[in-house]
Amino acid sequence: MESSSATAGVSTRREATRQKLYEAAVTLIAEQGFSATTVDEIAERAGVAKGTVYYNFASKSVLFEELLRHGVELLTASLREAAEATARAGGGKVDALDAMIRAGLVFIDRYPAFTQLYVAELWRTNRAWQSTLMVVRQQAVAVVEGVLREGVENGEFSDEIDVPLTASALVGMVLVAALDWQSFQPERSLDDVHAALSRLLQGRVSGRRG
């Protein structure tokens, strides 16, 4: 029992250290770019020794690749939980998508530097971690696809919609709108942005009511 507790403690401490390194890396890379950021700076910002970085990650590139994976997995989990919570409450698929939009905005508001990096890296094709990024991106989009497919199957959505493209469009809408909000309209609240995207989702941009 004591050995098990000790192992759990070591694991918890290591995860806490890795989280510090993630946060330090994402902040620095967002500020000055990947190439300009050194391992020494990441260690200093995280408050650990340089050797700790290499103990947890083989290189700066590996750290960044894992950073992207970690962040997108957090986003995916928040989207999935929003959909599942809506289902438990008896809501429909439109409600689930709306809840996922809000969950995405909450995530981006909490991790703005990560979101900026993620969006920038999506458009670069010469990175060692590009294949990893595509895999984890698809995991996030797949959660939205699942809700759309269920909505088509139960008749809530038209069977003419292109599920993969619509899912990608919804995820992209949230990312771009949130970055625009934070960069150019920071005076708006999260509720304001969510309300605008919710109206888009529900087809009420023209002012017509269903």
Side-chain angles (χ1 to χ4, degrees):
M1 182 69 73
E2 291 181 1
S3 176
S4 177
S5 298
T7 301
V10 170
S11 178
T12 300
R13 287 194 297 275
R14 186 175 185 194
E15 283 306 308
T17 298
R18 289 168 73 90
Q19 185 63 34
K20 286 182 187 177
L21 291 170
Y22 285 137
E23 292 172 0
V26 74
T27 303
L28 285 165
I29 293 169
E31 289 173 355
Q32 57 196 32
F34 176 79
S35 298
T37 300
T38 66
V39 171
D40 284 338
E41 289 173 320
I42 293 171
E44 181 179 357
R45 180 68 65 96
V48 301
K50 180 178 180 179
T52 302
V53 179
Y54 290 115
Y55 175 76
N56 285 275
F57 304 98
S59 67
K60 184 177 73 170
S61 291
V62 170
L63 167 58
F64 191 54
E65 181 174 345
E66 288 301 309
L67 166 70
L68 291 170
R69 183 192 298 275
H70 178 68
V72 179
E73 286 177 349
L74 286 178
L75 172 60
T76 301
S78 67
L79 297 178
R80 183 179 295 110
E81 172 54 30
E84 292 174 350
T86 302
R88 290 194 296 270
K93 299 309 174 186
V94 171
D95 298 321
L97 292 174
D98 190 52
M100 293 165 86
I101 286 174
R102 185 172 187 87
L105 291 173
V106 169
F107 175 89
I108 293 165
D109 189 43
R110 182 176 180 183
Y111 302 108
F114 170 80
T115 306
Q116 291 169 16
L117 283 179
Y118 171 65
V119 172
E121 290 301 318
L122 281 175
W123 299 105
R124 295 192 172 104
T125 58
N126 60 342
R127 301 293 207 187
W129 48 79
Q130 187 68 18
S131 60
T132 296
L133 186 57
M134 291 300 98
V135 169
V136 293
R137 170 201 168 274
Q138 186 51 41
Q139 290 172 355
V141 173
V143 177
V144 184
E145 286 184 10
V147 172
L148 288 170
R149 291 188 197 284
E150 290 171 2
V152 171
E153 290 169 2
N154 69 18
E156 192 169 347
F157 303 139
S158 167
D159 59 8
E160 296 181 354
I161 69 170
D162 185 320
V163 170
L165 187 57
T166 301
S168 295
L170 286 170
V171 173
M173 175 183 74
V174 174
L175 288 171
V176 173
L179 290 177
D180 184 89
W181 158 42
Q182 294 180 337
S183 298
F184 304 113
Q185 305 180 63
E187 72 281 0
R188 291 184 179 275
S189 69
L190 190 151
D191 287 338
D192 287 340
V193 180
H194 176 222
L197 297 187
S198 181
R199 283 191 288 272
L200 277 174
L201 172 68
Q202 298 177 45
R204 298 211 306 263
V205 178
S206 65
R208 293 193 296 271
R209 293 291 186 269

